[in-house]
Amino acid sequence: MPRIELRNISKHVLKDVDLTIEDKEIIALVGPNGAGKSTVLNVIAGLIGYKGEVWFDRKRMDRIPPHKRGIGYLFQDLALFPHLTVAANIAYGLRVQKYREEIISERVDELAKALHIERLKERYPRSLSGGEKQRVAIARAVAPFKKILLLDEPTSSLDAQTAKYLRAELGTLLRRLEITAVFVIHDLLGAEEIADRIAIIHKGRIEQVARPEEIFFDPKSSVVSEFIGMPNILSCVESRILSSGLIEVNCGAMRIVLPYEGNTINKIAIPPHDIYISDTKPPGPALNRYTGQILEIIPLRSVAHVKVSVGGNTLLAELSADTAAEMNLEVGQQVYVIVKLRRLRYFESEGR
């Protein structure tokens, strides 16, 4: 089964990249534009020359041409065949490899059902929505029984809600088909939704490879910390289960409410841009709302970092420079602080 190893890979921006992707693992490559994410995919696929070694299991692949590497590749532009129906697009690779028609029909039906596009099989790409085209492209990429799938930002052109649903479906499909997948994505939240591990890449170097919670709670370099937004990490000493799938945890004198899934919550990460500061009391329920005192204001080019003391914790909030100027914030000033419930991340241990 396909375990992928990159050893000392250099090409364009890439500099001595080492990366191991385990069998059946979904790994997300995350980083800014120009970091080398797509170049990593092209090296694995053999589409460009490179220095270093690529191994699939115990077989060195450097002299193996792309069409013999057994890889499905979903490009950003999808490139569906406009003159073929959805069913014919999905079946294309199977027919090229001369599978029997009964196998082709069975495989097309299986993937169409898994990706909820059964009703679209006789339609043409021009009549499909963006999300429908993405589903067809995914089905076509994995149809020829590939065990490695490379995906170059397949959800970047979709609205946030459609992209979220598609990532969930894709993750389920890849795990059911036992496919090793490398997924390029800009959005760290999107990477969390689908990946077993995340690889942070910056200026051609792999900065850290870890499970999503480790990336947030134990960044290994200042580059990783800055990329994920220098989150506020709070230790939680007590908790109380509420109704409706919520739990209240005590972090110092701060009581924070968040979703409860049965495990003990040890730490919480709050990105600075998800902390809202107001100089007047905001309307609405008191959920995750506090009063605090400004300790420091750090003006930057387009944002201002504001350190606030809240319940024995020092929180770093990030405001736009215009917002900070409009509020005329000062050190020592009392302010209202809101922590956005939907953006909280937490580190769990097993249930009590």
Side-chain angles (χ1 to χ4, degrees):
M1 300 301 288
R3 178 179 189 264
I4 303 170
E5 289 183 78
L6 306 183
R7 303 179 184 175
N8 300 314
I9 296 295
S10 295
K11 177 66 178 183
H12 300 319
V13 70
L14 299 182
K15 304 177 183 72
D16 299 319
V17 167
D18 292 311
L19 179 63
T20 298
I21 301 143
E22 299 297 340
D23 176 35
K24 304 171 191 170
E25 181 178 35
I26 301 174
I27 195 164
L29 294 177
V30 182
N33 286 332
K37 303 184 297 295
S38 296
T39 304
V40 171
L41 296 191
N42 290 332
V43 167
I44 294 172
L47 297 177
I48 57 176
Y50 52 86
K51 294 180 180 178
E53 301 175 4
V54 175
W55 293 73
F56 292 174
D57 294 327
R58 298 180 181 178
K59 183 176 181 181
R60 188 168 174 179
M61 304 300 293
D62 305 313
R63 297 182 181 274
I64 306 298
H67 67 280
K68 293 186 177 180
R69 292 195 179 194
I71 289 175
Y73 201 142
L74 183 58
F75 294 94
Q76 196 168 356
D77 63 2
L78 303 182
L80 294 176
F81 299 116
H83 63 291
L84 298 180
T85 65
V86 164
N89 263 284
I90 298 172
Y92 180 81
L94 295 163
R95 290 204 167 97
V96 167
Q97 296 184 23
K98 303 187 185 306
Y99 280 91
R100 299 195 310 274
E101 280 301 318
E102 59 266 30
I103 293 177
I104 293 174
S105 178
E106 182 179 319
R107 183 67 163 175
V108 169
D109 288 345
E110 174 194 15
L111 293 173
K113 182 177 181 181
L115 288 162
H116 309 293
I117 52 175
E118 297 161 285
R119 62 185 175 81
L120 306 177
K121 288 195 294 183
E122 299 309 314
R123 288 170 56 179
Y124 289 86
R126 64 179 175 273
S127 68
L128 304 180
S129 69
E132 289 167 346
K133 289 177 181 177
Q134 296 284 357
R135 288 176 168 84
V136 175
I138 290 166
R140 186 182 66 178
V142 301
F145 302 96
K146 306 292 188 183
K147 285 301 180 182
I148 296 175
L149 181 62
L150 309 179
L151 305 102
D152 194 353
E153 300 202 68
T155 60
S156 63
S157 62
L158 304 178
D159 65 85
Q161 196 65 22
T162 302
K164 184 180 180 70
Y165 283 134
L166 184 57
R167 284 191 293 267
E169 290 178 4
L170 180 56
T172 299
L173 177 66
L174 294 176
R175 290 181 175 93
R176 181 160 67 80
L177 298 178
E178 299 185 335
I179 290 175
T180 303
V182 188
F183 192 107
V184 163
I185 188 169
H186 275 96
D187 179 11
L188 197 58
L189 293 175
E192 286 183 88
E193 291 169 0
I194 191 172
D196 299 310
R197 290 189 300 155
I198 295 173
I200 304 291
I201 184 168
H202 179 74
K203 293 184 178 179
R205 299 187 185 277
I206 302 291
E207 293 286 339
Q208 185 172 356
V209 185
R211 297 192 306 273
E213 62 269 23
E214 292 177 299
I215 294 287
F216 282 98
F217 288 96
D218 190 21
K220 296 300 184 184
S221 71
S222 59
V223 169
V224 176
S225 183
E226 289 175 13
F227 182 77
I228 64 178
M230 297 178 292
N232 301 279
I233 307 297
L234 306 182
S235 296
C236 307
V237 293
E238 294 178 334
S239 61
R240 180 169 67 95
I241 298 172
L242 306 176
S243 59
S244 305
L246 298 174
I247 189 171
E248 181 184 75
V249 296
N250 289 359
C251 303
M254 289 180 67
R255 295 178 180 270
I256 301 177
V257 175
L258 62 160
Y260 179 59
E261 298 179 356
N263 290 337
T264 301
I265 295 171
N266 303 120
K267 294 181 179 180
I268 292 177
I270 312 172
H273 54 77
D274 288 328
I275 296 176
Y276 175 74
I277 289 179
S278 175
D279 54 353
T280 58
K281 187 174 182 177
L287 183 67
N288 293 346
R289 299 186 176 203
Y290 318 93
T291 56
Q293 186 176 44
I294 294 178
L295 301 177
E296 185 179 3
I297 301 172
I298 307 167
L300 302 173
R301 182 172 300 175
S302 59
V303 299
H305 285 172
V306 181
K307 290 184 179 180
V308 186
S309 175
V310 180
N313 298 293
T314 298
L315 301 182
L316 178 67
E318 182 178 289
L319 312 178
S320 72
D322 290 342
T323 299
E326 286 173 9
M327 287 194 288
N328 197 26
L329 299 177
E330 297 178 352
V331 172
Q333 179 180 349
Q334 181 173 297
V335 290
Y336 297 92
V337 178
I338 299 175
V339 175
K340 298 178 183 178
L341 174 63
R342 64 185 178 86
R343 302 301 289 273
L344 286 170
R345 299 178 180 87
Y346 44 89
F347 183 80
E348 302 174 318
S349 60
E350 290 303 314
R352 301 169 231 205

